[in-house]
Amino acid sequence: MAPAATAAGAPPGPAAPRGRKSVTGTRRTVAALFLLPALVLLGALVVYPIGYSVIRSFYNASGDGFAGADNYKTLFTDDGIRTALKNNVIWVVFAPTVSTALGLIFAVLTERVRWGTAFKLVVFMPMAISMLAAGIIFRLVYDQDPNKGVANAVWVGIHDTFAQSSAFPNAHPGRESPLTPDGGGFITKATVHTGRTVALPLVGVAPDQMPDGARSAVAARPEPGKITGTTWQDFTRGKGVGRLGAPDPSERGYDGMRIEAVRDGKVVASATAAADGTFTLPASADGARLRLPASNFRQPYNGVEWLGPSLVTPAIIGAYVWMWAGFAMVLIAAGLAGVPRELLEAARVDGANEWQVFRKVTVPLLAPVLAVVVVTLMINVLKVFDLVYIIAPGSSQDDANVLALELYRKGFAEDQPGVASAIAVLLLVLVIPVMAFNIRRLRREVRR
């Protein structure tokens, strides 16, 4: 008896295919064959190294003895690794945040200027530079010498605008000098009186370091009711040349040197030396001692020790931000281009100012893009190595240490491959939550 469907005259269904097909109609076996080379490469370059690192992390340095969890215990007892962990936390918190914030600001502001495209090009340009080149550039930028390092050149220039450095930092009394040390400065051994001249000779200032306005020193002439004197560089090149304690034609005056008359611990008068080193004090200075205050001999300001132990990590993060702020700006600008303009205009029509539009409309609409940028940079900074290795000098590299650098040092410099493998596994464990968050977020975007 025929089936009911056939008896009713309905046509029989199509024959079932012999091989299962994918959504695109390609047989799954064929798709698997095409994917096989990629799967082999993935296994050889990713899966196998990860598996080997996990296994190697449980063995000792030589690899012939099982160490158990000893290598993982070292991660939390070794001072270098603990410093690296602390610095990685600083990197993860600040580097992506600052880069994304700057990228957002640049992306929003460049929309309002005619030369926005050129500005974006300039900001993005550091991305074309390798980490090695960027490290070398910023090693020079942070050089301690203001004549070489741009950062300190700017910093010293600003400082000297408000607090001028002394031109006589190395000046000091010579032989048979009437001066004696006094709290960073110098003071005469005897009191001075009106109608007489005073000689205040010093040595120790190189000829090329003398003030530009300094002229040949001259002996002061006595004046009634006043105290006159000369302060100068009492040194002439050549053996037996020149007179000690008296100005010679080749010797120059200490232009701008401050002189104070001190009596009973109080300054009763003061004067500033002229270009030829001469100075004049009023009668109120009679019976006082003359002091050259410490401000005359203040060492020149040499800037900030950017690569010192306390600032080396923020300085390197600054170099990283310089490179990656352009990356953040480009992605955010692309997201900003897709923001409906009518929403922004509607907010303005409703009375919102530009800050309110930015904070309550623009930023919420850009939240998915900002999340992509932050997550990408977080993964990137967990692996940072080049900048730290190149920028941080040997004296402060321990203070700038990060996990990727410590992995290199343990594996190659200190010959501890077991500990290095444990650090690699730790880095993998730290990256997994960030990757999981990113995958979940992408799936939510696809469902929308």
Side-chain angles (χ1 to χ4, degrees):
M1 184 176 175
T6 304
R18 293 182 179 178
R20 299 184 66 184
K21 294 186 178 182
S22 66
V23 177
T24 59
T26 307
R27 293 183 183 277
R28 294 192 176 182
T29 52
V30 176
L33 287 174
F34 275 101
L35 289 174
L36 186 60
L39 293 174
V40 171
L41 285 174
L42 184 67
L45 300 178
V46 178
V47 178
Y48 173 74
I50 291 175
Y52 180 81
S53 296
V54 172
I55 295 171
R56 187 66 180 83
S57 66
F58 290 102
Y59 283 82
N60 59 16
S62 60
D64 55 7
F66 187 73
D70 289 348
N71 292 327
Y72 289 94
K73 291 178 182 177
T74 304
L75 298 182
F76 303 99
T77 56
D78 185 271
D79 291 337
I81 299 176
R82 286 194 296 182
T83 300
L85 277 168
K86 181 193 72 174
N87 287 337
N88 264 101
V89 171
I90 296 173
W91 272 89
V92 168
V93 171
F94 290 101
T97 304
V98 176
S99 298
T100 305
L102 285 176
L104 176 61
I105 293 170
F106 291 155
V108 172
L109 293 181
T110 49
E111 276 206 333
R112 301 172 177 272
V113 293
R114 292 182 179 178
W115 40 269
T117 303
F119 181 82
K120 289 178 182 177
L121 178 64
V122 172
V123 175
F124 187 75
M125 196 175 295
M127 281 294 298
I129 302 174
S130 68
M131 286 281 194
L132 173 64
I136 294 172
I137 289 170
F138 274 87
R139 183 67 182 267
L140 295 174
V141 168
Y142 291 134
D143 195 288
Q144 183 65 38
D145 187 352
N147 295 319
K148 298 178 182 178
V150 175
N152 266 340
V154 174
W155 195 262
V156 170
I158 295 172
H159 174 273
D160 288 350
T161 301
F162 300 98
Q164 189 74 27
S165 297
S166 168
F168 321 107
N170 298 314
H172 59 274
R175 293 179 295 132
E176 302 177 16
S177 175
L179 297 166
T180 184
D182 177 65
F186 306 100
I187 194 168
T188 56
K189 300 174 183 176
T191 57
V192 296
H193 299 281
T194 56
R196 300 180 186 178
T197 60
V198 182
L200 302 177
L202 295 170
V203 295
V205 180
D208 60 340
Q209 297 297 319
M210 291 290 288
D212 294 335
R215 299 178 182 175
S216 297
V218 298
R221 296 180 179 180
E223 295 183 21
K226 296 181 180 180
I227 298 170
T228 57
T230 305
T231 178
W232 78 101
Q233 173 83 353
D234 190 19
F235 177 79
T236 301
R237 291 185 178 181
K239 187 176 181 180
V241 179
R243 298 167 296 164
L244 189 64
D248 293 306
S250 62
E251 296 170 351
R252 300 169 70 187
Y254 283 137
D255 180 23
M257 179 75 75
R258 181 176 174 79
I259 301 97
E260 297 176 344
V262 181
R263 186 188 302 115
D264 299 327
K266 295 182 180 180
V267 177
V268 295
S270 64
T272 301
D276 57 4
T278 57
F279 61 89
T280 303
L281 290 166
S284 58
D286 186 60
R289 298 168 69 187
L290 299 190
R291 180 175 66 187
L292 304 179
S295 59
N296 290 315
F297 312 103
R298 184 173 52 240
Q299 291 292 327
Y301 182 66
N302 203 37
V304 177
E305 194 177 0
W306 298 104
L307 299 182
S310 59
L311 289 177
V312 63
T313 294
I316 299 173
I317 290 176
Y320 179 90
V321 170
W322 176 77
M323 289 192 68
W324 287 88
F327 167 82
M329 178 196 65
V330 170
L331 288 188
I332 295 170
L336 193 60
V339 172
R341 301 298 163 180
E342 55 269 18
L343 295 179
L344 304 181
E345 293 301 327
R348 294 187 181 100
V349 170
D350 288 342
N353 56 38
E354 290 301 321
W355 169 245
Q356 290 172 327
V357 171
F358 173 76
R359 185 167 57 91
K360 296 185 177 181
V361 180
T362 305
V363 173
L365 290 174
L366 289 175
V369 179
L370 296 176
V372 170
V373 174
V374 170
V375 170
T376 302
L377 293 181
M378 286 176 67
I379 296 172
N380 187 269
V381 298
L382 282 172
K383 304 179 297 180
V384 68
F385 165 80
D386 318 59
L387 286 179
V388 180
Y389 184 74
I390 297 166
I391 295 177
S395 58
S396 59
Q397 197 169 87
D398 288 341
D399 300 284
N401 202 8
V402 289
L403 286 174
L405 177 59
E406 186 64 14
L407 187 155
Y408 168 80
R409 293 168 71 173
K410 293 295 185 190
F412 297 97
E414 301 178 21
D415 195 22
Q416 298 184 48
V419 178
S421 298
I423 296 174
V425 173
L426 175 62
L427 277 172
L428 177 64
V429 170
L430 293 175
V431 169
I432 286 174
V434 183
M435 289 296 298
F437 168 80
N438 206 23
I439 292 171
R440 258 198 346 263
R441 189 195 55 77
L442 289 173
R443 284 178 177 172
R444 283 199 303 269
E445 291 293 323
V446 170
R447 291 194 194 104
R448 291 177 185 176

